[in-house]
């Protein structure tokens, strides 16, 4: 039996998503159906799927509803697996709500969105939208990362921003460009729940006018290399800030293949800002 499904397509700095409205939580998409929707050859195509559902309509959203969130972002990776959070996705999610008239966000106001990483507060910013990703954790365990294009394994810095990341420093833009990320990097020890891996090159100079600057590429678990990763951008900035020491700035500009995102740290939280765009909508038949 087949059914027709309405969708929208959106992206944040090239990190693209299939957006499906399911306000009352009646839609039960399987991992296989999500993977089919995200397939770039046979489906809509995307790095993941955002299901727009009221927080009160899903069990995972009850805490968010209690915190004042009307909407819950059910985010799935392109392979259909569940993910805790998506920094680019949540901006696209909010932009969809605003464009559809399902939420309002005045200048100086805020909107709370429920996620599997808890309720997150969003505001407008000069780059588009900013999300408070909450508290972060710099991991202490040693990790070695091997990737095609790197002659030897490199040490990785674990960073948790609601989902797991490992950040690897490279020596030059040429080394970054030479990476072959069509296959997943290999980590030692192997993470039990998977991990996103960011490869970064600091700018020279690292800091200009009080703002740090880096460039990065990312391999996302359940997806592969993407043009951008919001939480990965935050993790990369946090790792480089940790390496730079006590005099490192709290504001960072991070360039990814899909554009530029902003990161700032304040009060023990990390904030991510950037654009979001909806590019088209349509109907697709699901088996």
């Amino acid at each position: 039996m087949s059914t027709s499904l309405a969708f929208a397509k959106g992206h944040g700095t090239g990190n693209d998503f299939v957006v499906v409205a399911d306000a009352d939580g009646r839609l039960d998409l399987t991992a296989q159906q999500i993977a089919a929707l995200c397939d770039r050859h046979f489906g809509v195509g995307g790095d993941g799927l955002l299901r727009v559902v009221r927080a009160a309509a899903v069990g995972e959203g009850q805490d968010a509803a209690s915190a004042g969130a009307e909407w819950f972002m059910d985010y799935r990776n392109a392979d259909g697996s569940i993910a805790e959070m998506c920094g680019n996705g949540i901006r696209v999610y909010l932009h969809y709500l605003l464009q559809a008239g399902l939420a309002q966000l005045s200048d100086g106001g805020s909107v709370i969105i429920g996620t599997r990483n808890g309720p997150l507060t969003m505001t407008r910013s000069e780059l588009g939208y900013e999300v408070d990703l909450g508290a972060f954790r710099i991991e202490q365990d040693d990790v070695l990362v091997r990737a095609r294009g790197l002659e030897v394994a490199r040490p990785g810095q674990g960073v948790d921003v609601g989902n797991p990341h490992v950040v690897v420093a490279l020596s030059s833009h040429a080394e970054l460009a030479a990476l072959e990320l069509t296959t997943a990097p290999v980590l030692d020890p192997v993470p039990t729940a998977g991990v996103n891996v960011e490869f970064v090159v600091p700018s020279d100079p690292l800091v200009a006018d009080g703002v740090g600057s880096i460039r990065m590429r990312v391999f996302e678990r359940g997806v592969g290399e993407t043009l951008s990763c919001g939480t990965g951008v935050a993790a990369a900035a946090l790792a480089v800030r940790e390496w730079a020491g006590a005099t490192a700035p709290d504001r960072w500009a991070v360039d990814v293949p899909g554009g530029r995102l902003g990161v700032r740290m304040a009060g023990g939280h990390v904030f991510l800002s950037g654009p979001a765009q909806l590019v088209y909508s349509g109907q697709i038949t699901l088996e």
Side-chain angles (χ1 to χ4, degrees):
M1 182 178 178
S2 61
T3 184
S4 182
L5 181 69
F7 70 89
K9 177 71 179 288
H11 77 90
T13 54
N15 200 189
D16 58 342
F17 309 95
V18 181
V19 186
V20 175
D22 182 29
D24 298 322
R26 297 174 179 172
L27 193 61
D28 185 19
L29 292 174
T30 66
Q32 291 76 17
Q33 288 174 320
I34 292 169
L37 284 167
C38 293
D39 190 288
R40 297 191 182 278
H41 299 286
F42 298 101
V44 179
D47 293 324
L49 181 138
L50 305 169
R51 184 171 67 117
V52 180
V53 60
R54 285 193 170 88
V58 291
E60 293 173 298
Q62 298 307 306
D63 289 343
S66 299
E70 181 179 1
W71 298 98
F72 179 84
M73 182 180 75
D74 177 14
Y75 177 63
R76 307 298 178 97
N77 294 316
D79 64 357
S81 60
I82 293 173
E84 301 90 342
M85 181 42 201
C86 180
N88 288 321
I90 200 168
R91 296 196 318 277
V92 173
Y93 188 98
L94 174 60
H95 190 60
Y96 177 89
L97 291 177
L98 299 178
Q99 294 298 303
L102 299 175
Q104 294 183 338
L105 179 58
S106 61
D107 291 338
S110 63
V111 172
I112 300 174
I113 303 294
T115 74
R116 292 187 178 89
N117 190 40
L120 302 181
T121 300
M122 303 195 65
T123 57
R124 294 190 185 274
S125 79
E126 60 182 16
L127 293 179
Y129 304 107
E130 182 178 74
V131 55
D132 180 353
L133 294 174
F136 56 88
R137 185 173 69 251
I138 304 295
E139 306 288 6
Q140 301 303 313
D141 295 336
D142 294 330
V143 181
L144 280 179
V145 179
R146 292 176 173 83
R148 295 177 66 180
L150 295 181
E151 292 185 1
V152 296
R154 302 293 174 86
Q157 173 64 66
V159 182
D160 191 299
V161 288
N163 57 357
H165 297 264
V166 169
V167 183
V168 180
L170 301 183
S171 62
S172 67
H173 295 296
E175 193 172 43
L176 183 67
L179 275 178
E180 175 54 76
L181 296 181
T182 56
T183 57
V186 177
L187 276 65
D188 181 15
V190 178
T192 56
V195 71
N196 303 297
V197 184
E198 288 77 33
F199 298 89
V200 302
V201 176
S203 298
D204 185 15
L206 177 62
V207 181
D209 298 323
V211 179
S213 178
I214 59 175
R215 183 177 295 275
M216 72 165 235
R217 290 172 64 188
V218 58
F219 189 98
E220 288 195 60
R221 60 177 179 170
V223 186
E225 183 176 13
T226 58
L227 294 179
S228 181
C229 173
T231 55
V233 161
L238 286 164
V240 176
R241 177 175 175 257
E242 176 78 5
W243 297 331
T247 61
D250 289 330
R251 289 184 174 272
W252 293 81
V254 183
D255 290 317
V256 294
R260 171 169 285 192
L261 292 164
V263 180
R264 67 183 179 94
M265 300 85 175
H269 283 208
V270 59
F271 298 77
L272 173 73
S273 61
Q277 183 178 358
L278 297 176
V279 292
Y280 64 87
S281 60
Q283 298 270 341
I284 190 170
T285 299
L286 274 184
E287 298 299 330

